[in-house]
Amino acid sequence: MLQDTRLQVPRQKRISSLRNLVANLHLVTLCLGLTLVTAGAYLFTSEISRTVCYSLLVLGCLVALVGFVACFGSHMELTGFIRFFITYGALVLLAQLVLCCYMYWQSSALNRHASDLWSFFFEHDPAFLWEVESVWSCCGYASSEDRPVPSSCHLSENACRATWLDFIGKWQFFLILGVCVLLSFQICVLVMNCVLMVLVERENRDFEMHEALFEQAHYSSAPYHAHPVLGRFPSHPSSSGNNGALPPWPRPSSSSMGGDLPHYGSVSK
């Protein structure tokens, strides 16, 4: 038992270190989500497009909620919360990988999708397209005459699609490197959460097993009461099966007393 206790001490230290590391990472995620929510709420008072405000609010609430669940679960060693984060993170990572593969293999279809999005915002939220044109210093989508906002856009003669393609071609290596780093970081976080969940479940099983062995050893080493006829029996309440009451003392038989017992008033010969 002493050797098992010595072996459990390094394991508990490893679990504690990994738990603190994972909890701190999720705490940073929680703070990031709260920052996005605060920024989205603040921008409502400005002239920024409502699309940007709602996007920041939804994304911030989602990130903050997942960060809180993961941080609380890892800090309190709740396997259910950790398993929820692992499932959610795996789905998000899979969606990102599918999106990256689609953008690589179906690059020709991206132009059609981007044009459809431009038409959607041109009809429902022109202020968002005006902000996009202001940031990228461009006018219209395919050309400066293709659905510009406003119709008399004089920011630049370059179309936004051409500006985006030039930017991607110039910074392609760094963009790919950033995407790879982001995906690798997410994979590392998922692996650390999986390892933490396995260690916590193993520790819980070991604790239950040691508790069962301790109760069994405690019952087997319980004190005994002496009985003149029955001998020794354990005094633990669970061992008697009589709600903690001691077993009844049986009346002594004639065989146990070495012969027939004389009746009251009789004379023994």
Side-chain angles (χ1 to χ4, degrees), residues 7 25 33 58 68 80 97 110 112 163 168 177 193 205 208 222 235 245 255 260 266:
L7 291 177
L25 289 176
V58 173
F68 171 76
L97 292 175
L110 293 179
R112 184 179 68 256
T163 304
I168 293 175
L177 181 62
N193 281 271
R205 288 195 301 266
E208 293 176 357
S235 61
S255 59
D260 297 333
S266 62

Side-chain angles (χ1 to χ4, degrees), residues 16-37:
S16 178
S17 301
L18 182 60
R19 178 194 62 192
N20 294 333
L21 177 60
V22 174
N24 291 332
L25 289 176
H26 294 316
L27 182 61
V28 173
T29 304
L30 174 60
C31 294
L32 177 61
L34 294 177
T35 303
L36 293 177
V37 171

Side-chain angles (χ1 to χ4, degrees), residues 53-257:
C53 299
Y54 285 122
S55 300
L56 290 177
L57 284 176
V58 173
L59 181 61
C61 290
L62 186 61
V63 172
L65 178 62
V66 174
F68 171 76
V69 171
C71 181
F72 181 76
S74 58
H75 181 71
M76 300 300 296
E77 297 183 358
L78 301 176
T79 56
F81 284 43
I82 301 175
R83 188 176 290 108
F84 167 78
F85 173 77
I86 293 174
T87 304
Y88 171 80
L91 292 177
V92 172
L93 180 62
L94 180 61
Q96 293 176 359
L97 292 175
V98 171
L99 180 61
C100 292
C101 294
Y102 179 81
M103 293 177 62
Y104 180 77
W105 295 106
Q106 300 292 333
S107 59
S108 59
L110 293 179
N111 183 25
R112 184 179 68 256
H113 296 318
S115 179
D116 294 339
L117 285 176
W118 190 279
S119 300
F120 174 81
F121 287 112
F122 184 78
E123 296 176 359
H124 297 86
D125 193 4
F128 176 72
L129 295 183
W130 166 249
E131 294 170 2
V132 172
E133 291 176 342
S134 300
V135 171
W136 292 93
S137 298
C138 58
C139 289
Y141 177 69
S143 64
S144 59
E145 303 296 332
D146 183 17
R147 295 162 291 177
V149 178
S151 57
S152 59
C153 178
H154 300 288
L155 293 176
S156 175
E157 296 181 356
N158 296 327
C160 292
R161 186 183 67 177
T163 304
W164 296 336
L165 292 177
D166 293 340
F167 177 81
I168 293 175
K170 182 179 180 180
W171 301 98
Q172 181 178 4
F173 173 77
F174 296 99
L175 291 175
I176 296 176
L177 181 62
V179 171
C180 294
V181 171
L182 180 61
L183 295 178
S184 301
F185 177 76
Q186 296 179 19
I187 293 175
C188 292
V189 172
L190 286 178
V191 170
M192 287 190 296
N193 281 271
C194 292
V195 173
L196 178 62
M197 186 183 66
V198 171
L199 292 178
V200 170
E201 290 180 348
R202 182 181 301 175
E203 185 181 13
N204 293 336
R205 288 195 301 266
D206 293 343
F207 177 78
E208 293 176 357
M209 182 182 64
H210 283 80
E211 187 178 15
L213 293 176
F214 176 77
E215 292 180 357
Q216 182 179 2
H218 178 68
Y219 293 159
S220 62
S221 61
Y224 286 82
H225 287 283
H227 197 283
V229 178
L230 299 180
R232 300 170 68 245
F233 58 89
S235 61
H236 197 275
S238 62
S239 62
S240 60
N242 195 21
N243 296 327
L246 294 176
W249 289 54
R251 298 182 62 180
S253 60
S254 58
S255 59
S256 62
M257 299 300 293

